[in-house]
Amino acid sequence: MLNLERLRTLDALARHGSVSGAAEGLHITTSAVSQQMSKLEREVGQRLLAKNGRGVRLTDAGRLLAEHAARILSQVELAHSDLEAQRGQVAGELRVSAFPTAARGLFPAALGELRERHPALRVRSRELEPEQGIRGVVRGDLDLAVLLDWYNKPMPLPDGLVKAALLDDPTDVALPAGHRLAGRDELDLAELSEEEWITWGEGEFCHEWLMFTLRSQGIEPVVGHRAAETHTQLCLVAAGLGVCVAPLLGRDPLPEGVVTVPLRQRVRRHVFVVWRADADRRPSIRAAVQALRAAGERVGASAA
């Protein structure tokens, strides 16, 4: 009989494309991955891996079994969901992630509500950028991930995920208090064409959105500083080192010396949560989505 954990290891190898990637996704050592695969090869009596330079690749038999493994693991997840739904209790463990400002702005209220209402549910949370959160949900390392996209740049999602909106997050521009435009009621992006921008890391979804948005307005942005977290960006603004976009979610309290001004374009980012479709019937998933929506509504009400 095929061992489920060894099939899980093969599935991780197929999805990540390397022993190190599979080990990271499964939170085990590379040695453990190799041992599991050796045992699985003995079980099936065929080679599943072949050397490929310094790495490995799946053989034809390995690819065939990996396709079956993905379907088997999906059925196992469905069985867990059905059993949890049949029991009707919000219990067990739930692994969730959110990008930093959502972890700051939504998780305290939402996870606090879950602990109070469902003491038998143990939630494990972590901060992850949206792309990392998607990967975690797809490969089963996470049950839920809070993500974002922008009004003019959707976040592409793979098949097999369910999505629920949490809030539309209004976004202003943050300026040093002594800036020539700090007293305005609203600003047009074109008025910031000569400014030095403080943004996210190269290649990050929000950085790419900002570059795309500014260039669509005919602005070639000058990037002076990069920081992953909004509050670090705001502290750099307070020091007079540039300007940044400042979504409402998770930004308060503003550092001293920073003012925010709405943009005439009504820039917003969409905050939402995703989970695997084969886990859709789990009461714990539904309870968590409800708590996150309630937290999002409170943020939205404060912005109105």
Side-chain angles (χ1 to χ4, degrees):
M1 182 178 293
L2 294 171
N3 179 280
L4 190 60
E5 288 309 308
R6 290 167 198 159
L7 289 179
R8 198 180 302 278
T9 303
L10 175 62
D11 178 65
L13 265 170
R15 285 186 284 105
H16 293 282
S18 69
V19 171
S20 59
E24 181 181 355
L26 295 169
H27 306 291
I28 60 178
T29 65
T30 55
S31 176
V33 170
S34 298
Q35 290 173 17
Q36 290 280 54
M37 290 305 302
S38 294
K39 291 177 181 178
L40 185 58
E41 287 183 327
R42 288 197 294 271
E43 281 180 353
V44 300
Q46 296 188 62
R47 289 187 63 192
L48 302 175
L49 296 179
K51 289 185 177 180
N52 185 29
R54 295 184 179 181
V56 295
R57 62 173 177 82
L58 293 179
T59 63
D60 290 344
R63 286 194 296 272
L64 177 63
L65 186 56
E67 291 174 3
H68 285 287
R71 290 194 291 270
I72 290 167
L73 293 171
S74 179
Q75 284 300 120
V76 169
E77 181 64 39
L78 279 171
H80 282 304
S81 298
D82 285 346
L83 285 170
E84 189 176 320
Q86 192 272 339
R87 188 171 62 236
Q89 296 177 348
V90 180
E93 182 173 275
L94 196 70
R95 301 155 301 168
V96 302
S97 78
F99 58 95
T101 50
R104 176 187 176 95
L106 296 178
F107 272 4
L111 303 190
E113 177 182 326
L114 282 173
R115 171 169 287 189
E116 181 178 345
R117 292 191 176 186
H118 307 289
L121 178 66
R122 182 175 59 187
V123 181
R124 296 287 178 261
S125 71
R126 57 193 299 197
E127 281 188 5
L128 289 176
E129 292 299 327
E131 296 90 342
Q132 296 172 300
I134 291 172
R135 288 196 296 269
V137 173
V138 168
R139 64 187 186 222
D141 299 334
L142 295 168
D143 298 301
L144 290 170
V146 178
L147 311 174
L148 67 90
D149 59 19
W150 294 86
Y151 73 104
N152 59 344
K153 193 172 179 66
M155 167 70 75
L157 293 177
D159 293 337
L161 298 185
V162 180
K163 173 180 175 180
L166 299 179
L167 75 148
D168 279 351
D169 190 23
T171 300
D172 304 325
V173 63
L175 308 166
H179 194 281
R180 59 186 174 84
L181 300 173
R184 295 279 296 277
D185 292 330
E186 62 179 13
L187 289 172
D188 192 287
L189 277 173
E191 297 179 87
L192 303 167
S193 60
E194 302 301 320
E195 300 297 330
E196 192 167 356
W197 286 89
I198 299 163
T199 180
W200 297 267
E202 185 74 38
E204 288 190 19
F205 181 73
C206 287
H207 170 77
E208 296 302 320
W209 162 78
L210 181 61
M211 299 299 102
F212 167 80
T213 301
L214 292 173
R215 286 168 180 155
S216 70
Q217 298 290 318
I219 301 170
E220 184 53 42
V222 176
V223 175
H225 304 277
R226 301 178 184 273
E229 222 284 323
T230 296
H231 266 256
T232 305
Q233 295 183 14
L234 291 171
C235 287
L236 293 170
V237 172
L241 298 173
V243 303
C244 73
V245 292
L248 176 65
L249 181 63
R251 83 180 179 201
D252 291 333
L254 285 174
E256 186 176 351
V258 174
V259 298
T260 59
V261 181
L263 287 163
R264 191 170 292 119
Q265 286 85 352
R266 296 292 182 256
V267 173
R268 290 179 178 269
R269 60 182 185 177
H270 310 302
V271 181
F272 56 96
V273 59
V274 300
W275 62 96
R276 286 168 59 108
D278 54 19
D280 193 42
R281 285 171 281 192
R282 290 176 58 187
S284 57
I285 294 281
R286 295 184 179 277
V289 172
Q290 183 179 6
L292 285 164
R293 276 179 162 163
E297 286 172 4
R298 287 191 286 271
V299 174
S302 71

